[in-house]
Amino acid sequence: MYQAPPAPDQLQSFLEAYARYVRRILQPTQTEIQSLLQAWQVPEYWVKYKRTHSIPIPTPIRSTMSRIKRPEQVVDKIFRKPKNFPAGLHPKSFQAMNDAIGVRMIVYFLSHLPLIDRELRSSDVVEIVEDDPPMAYMTAHQARSLGLEHLSQEVKESGYRSVHYNLRLTRSRLPPAERPVFELQVRSATMDLWSALEHHLGYKPGRRAHSAAKTQLRILSNNLAAVDEHFNFLYEELSRYQEQSSFETEAPLTPETLPAVLSEVGITCAQRDINNIIKFLLSRGVETGKDLFELATPRRLEILRNTYLSALGRLPVSLEIIATLAALGGAADEAEETQRIKLQIAYRGAWDVIRQEFAGKENEE
């Protein structure tokens, strides 16, 4: 339905009000959300979901991003959905939008979707908005297979698949009454690939030029859904092997046995780090459990931890322990071991500085 454009003065007043809302409410909230998401991407955050010593820490989150709705998008939404925003170009409209802040979370596998759902429902940092419940854009069968049957389900004609939550921070510098609702979209890496390509093509319901495009999109969506399920099967099989695996000390280290081998010397690893750990150890001549056990003696582990405490005021994380142990091979005595540990700490510190500088430049661009 056509709507006459707003008067310039009315539009200007609305945009100024939204700019103030962005500065006072949305930007501080986005910063707090980003801090929360940053914590969720640290492997140690998920250690509570580690069932046994022989499996790694699950690391579900591949990436996250957030954005604040641009002013023209806010105006466009009000005009496209007048029934949802009866106040029109008034602050009540943007205050009522549940996606003025949008967050996207990409997980690796389908099995990670219920893990995120569980975390959201048990979180004391965010709450799910009860009057606008989550929606799983998938079939009822898919929801049941993932243990997400408690969510409402809807099948999109386009083949789009994702899980949407409307959330509010329960811990914030803003007063409770001013904390905005924000939308979190959670999808697998394969789901995100389909969504990005479909969006780039510009095929949306109501805009498609012919049925052939509609049919092709449905075929692609089904094919990628099958790929998603196959990758998820491989992930679950690996997890099962890790949980049930036993190892021989002289056998080569593998993704199935590495978590159990490391646990024997009190080291926990994250699933996403397994491949890099194995490659790193192999490059240092550590090929078997026996090789690792010869390096990770109780005495060396004690020296390593105490040196980190003395130099940095904290204990080393798992990856630091592994990297530092690998650097100790062939050390003549305890003095040389301590020197190598300090060099490893200095090397890691220099790398962190370089990495932060690159991250800062990327943010500026």
Side-chain angles (χ1 to χ4, degrees):
M1 183 178 65
Y2 173 77
Q3 293 188 46
D9 290 348
Q10 181 189 14
L11 180 60
Q12 182 65 28
S13 176
F14 178 81
L15 294 176
E16 290 174 355
Y18 183 65
R20 291 193 295 271
Y21 184 69
V22 169
R23 290 193 297 270
R24 193 174 68 86
I25 300 295
L26 297 185
Q27 286 180 341
T29 300
Q30 183 186 36
T31 299
E32 292 175 333
I33 293 170
Q34 289 171 337
S35 178
L36 168 65
L37 296 176
Q38 193 172 29
W40 281 21
Q41 291 186 78
V42 175
E44 284 72 20
Y45 181 88
W46 301 94
V47 72
K48 56 190 172 184
Y49 294 108
K50 189 174 182 290
R51 297 187 303 274
T52 68
H53 74 282
S54 59
I55 64 171
I57 301 171
T59 44
I61 300 176
R62 182 177 185 271
S63 63
T64 62
M65 61 83 66
S66 65
R67 62 98 183 104
I68 293 174
K69 218 173 204 29
R70 298 196 305 271
E72 67 274 19
Q73 293 174 318
V74 172
V75 174
D76 177 66
K77 185 169 185 177
I78 292 171
F79 276 83
R80 280 189 295 107
K81 300 183 177 181
K83 291 183 179 180
N84 294 348
F85 306 102
L89 292 184
H90 188 279
K92 289 181 181 178
S93 295
F94 57 66
Q95 290 167 0
M97 285 187 183
N98 59 11
D99 63 344
I101 297 177
V103 181
R104 185 177 302 157
M105 178 181 291
I106 312 304
V107 298
Y108 288 96
F109 305 108
L110 292 173
S111 292
H112 290 147
L113 295 175
L115 188 60
I116 299 299
D117 183 78
R118 180 178 173 185
E119 181 62 26
L120 289 172
R121 292 180 184 281
S122 62
S123 175
D124 60 355
V125 181
V126 296
E127 62 179 353
I128 297 173
V129 178
E130 294 181 359
D131 58 359
D132 200 352
M135 176 66 71
Y137 291 102
M138 61 182 65
T139 66
H141 171 73
Q142 289 169 333
R144 283 194 302 273
S145 68
L146 293 172
L148 296 175
E149 66 274 9
H150 56 281
L151 302 180
S152 298
Q153 298 115 40
E154 180 181 330
V155 178
K156 288 280 192 179
E157 179 190 2
S158 64
Y160 172 84
R161 293 179 301 133
S162 185
V163 183
H164 290 198
Y165 298 88
N166 291 305
L167 307 171
R168 183 184 288 109
L169 293 174
T170 56
R171 295 182 186 176
S172 173
R173 289 172 293 175
L174 296 174
E178 295 185 359
R179 296 171 190 172
V181 175
F182 64 94
E183 182 185 63
L184 170 65
Q185 300 177 1
V186 187
R187 60 184 70 150
S188 71
T190 306
M191 290 176 175
D192 190 57
L193 171 64
W194 186 93
S195 180
L197 296 178
E198 188 260 2
H199 180 79
H200 191 73
L201 289 170
Y203 283 118
K204 295 289 182 184
R207 286 194 230 154
R208 293 174 189 153
H210 47 76
S211 61
K214 186 184 300 185
T215 301
Q216 190 67 21
L217 280 169
R218 190 159 48 243
I219 292 171
L220 289 171
S221 176
N222 291 337
N223 287 343
L224 282 175
V227 169
D228 224 351
E229 290 172 2
H230 282 296
F231 270 114
N232 195 63
F233 174 79
L234 290 173
Y235 169 70
E236 291 185 340
E237 282 292 284
L238 175 60
S239 298
R240 184 172 65 83
Y241 287 141
Q242 288 169 335
E243 191 161 9
Q244 299 174 358
S245 72
S246 58
F247 63 88
E248 297 179 2
T249 57
E250 296 190 10
L253 296 171
T254 67
E256 292 85 359
T257 62
L258 180 67
V261 172
L262 291 175
S263 71
E264 289 293 313
V265 292
I267 301 174
T268 299
C269 66
Q271 180 65 54
R272 73 181 187 194
D273 295 327
I274 286 179
N275 185 51
N276 286 336
I277 290 173
I278 290 177
K279 289 195 297 185
F280 182 82
L281 291 175
L282 288 176
S283 72
R284 301 300 193 275
V286 182
E287 300 179 358
T288 67
K290 180 182 178 182
D291 295 336
L292 183 64
F293 296 152
E294 288 176 353
L295 283 175
T297 63
R299 179 188 62 79
R300 275 181 170 165
L301 288 170
E302 182 180 10
I303 293 171
L304 193 157
R305 292 188 175 102
N306 287 338
T307 304
Y308 266 81
L309 271 175
S310 176
L312 302 179
R314 63 168 177 82
L315 291 170
V317 298
S318 297
L319 282 177
E320 291 171 331
I321 294 175
I322 295 166
T324 307
L325 282 173
L328 299 183
D333 52 32
E334 187 173 311
E336 185 177 347
E337 288 174 349
T338 302
Q339 183 62 28
R340 290 191 187 185
I341 294 171
K342 290 179 178 178
L343 287 172
Q344 186 67 25
I345 292 172
Y347 164 76
R348 183 68 186 184
W351 171 242
D352 285 343
V353 170
I354 294 171
R355 186 173 57 180
Q356 289 171 7
E357 287 178 354
F358 271 102
K361 290 179 180 178
E362 288 178 355
N363 290 334
E364 289 174 3
E365 295 174 356

